[in-house]
Amino acid sequence: MTVPASPRPNPLTVPTLDALKARTSAKWGRFEPDVLPLYVAEMDVEFAPPVRDALARAVATGDVGYRTGTAYEESLVSFAAERWDWPTLAVEHIVAVPDVITGYTDAITLVTDPGDAVIINPPAYPPFFSFVKGAGRRIEESRLGADFRIDLESLEAAFQRATTGGRPAAYLLCNPHNPTGTLHTRAELEAVAALAARYGVRVVADEIHAPLVYTDASYTPYLSVAGERADAFSLMSASKAWNLAGVPAALLIAGTDSTADLARYTSVPRHGPSQLGALAQTAAYTQGGQWLDDLVAGLDANRHLLGALLAEKLPKAGYTWPEATYLSWVDLSAYDLGGEDPSEFLHREARVMLNSGPTFGTGGEGHVRINFATSPAILTEAINRIAHVMG
Ligand SMILES: Cc1ncc(COP(=O)(O)O)c(C=O)c1O
């Protein structure tokens, strides 16, 4: 008699609440014990089994020296060919870096000078602003449209302002976009590439969320659109999709016309990722596909659950339906909170921690970012608590 295989669990329902509360990283470790944390981009999951095994093997055998070789780079090349139908990505164009923020900051520093402009689409991931400013560059905003898609007219105006007088400029593109979960289409990316070529703006595409795309949408890698001669860069990492922020690593990819810049980058001393980070992420890209599919199915269910809960319990909330990521951008401005930032009010009154909208820049007022990478039970409890205090 054959025993039917037991269904694979939804990764979002595996850790118990007690296990989550015992965690020491930012999501569960930073705020008071009664607070439900749906803020920072960590997920309430355990390791994908192949990632856990790779790390356990390294720890058990003491294989924690300096990283060498190109297994990590090769793992992305294979993943990109299989998942994104992008067969032309080549290891020679990829350099491993400690993490994505380091990668985009270094790429911007490489192609612009102090005081030059970097274009950003607010509302946007707060460390876009802080690290660009920290690198001595100034920010030129091109706000997303009301539909949270790139507004090409506004982008062109920003490119024009940024390059006045022939100054170098870079565009920090987020694909998919954090916090709205917008997935830029091939046509939109083609238009971006054409504008970038016309104004000589160097595109740096942060594509950290790329594996987290729902099955009713499809992700297009920026460099696969910008063409073989792109003078752009892309940053990829397994750290969001497999929850590896604590074992970081990332890959900086140069378009063909950026290879001289990449050579300049590698000719000076710099750090790469740790051995554990590279081992974990290599295992994720090469053997983590099944777990990723199970995760995305669980996230998809939560995306629908969140939409239904908000419609029922917070009908005045504006829910941005994410096409990718486990983040959703919610407009609470129809609720009268006396001008207080909703995330502060909800932390204090509902004991739920969300990301504060204003930290995402222009357009963030009255908004919160909700991280729904948790169990349906925790998500439901959090929205119930919020509804209770919002009346
Ligand atoms: C768009 C984006 N870029 C970068 C990061 C952080 O990447 P890393 O931890 O590899 O520096 C995040 C984390 O949430 C993110 O959302």
Side-chain angles (χ1 to χ4, degrees), residues 41 99-102 104 125 128 174 178 206 208-209 237 239-240 248-249:
D99 55 53
V100 168
I101 291 181
T102 302
Y104 71 61
Y125 177 57
F128 273 19
C174 199
N178 172 3
D206 177 337
I208 192 172
H209 293 278
S237 172
S239 73
K240 285 303 122 188

Side-chain angles (χ1 to χ4, degrees), residues 319-367:
Y319 177 49
T320 304
W321 193 251
E323 302 168 287
T325 80
Y326 48 77
L327 307 169
S328 80
W329 185 238
V330 175
D331 181 0
L332 295 177
S333 57
Y335 291 90
D336 182 12
L337 302 178
E340 188 177 6
D341 177 345
S343 72
E344 284 171 17
F345 173 81
L346 293 173
H347 177 202
R348 191 182 62 245
E349 299 296 327
R351 313 306 287 156
V352 174
M353 194 66 213
L354 307 174
N355 281 95
S356 155
T359 63
F360 292 78
T362 306
E365 316 74 35
H367 287 69

Side-chain angles (χ1 to χ4, degrees), residues 313-314 335 345-346 349-350 352 380-391:
K313 296 169 188 284
L314 286 161
Y335 291 90
F345 173 81
L346 293 173
E349 299 296 327
V352 174
T380 305
E381 168 68 13
I383 302 303
N384 280 341
R385 287 189 191 185
I386 293 171
H388 187 69
V389 299
M390 299 286 266

Side-chain angles (χ1 to χ4, degrees), residues 45-66:
V45 295
E46 293 183 353
F47 281 121
V51 177
R52 182 197 55 218
D53 293 349
L55 288 173
R57 213 165 27 245
V59 170
T61 62
D63 182 17
V64 287
Y66 294 110

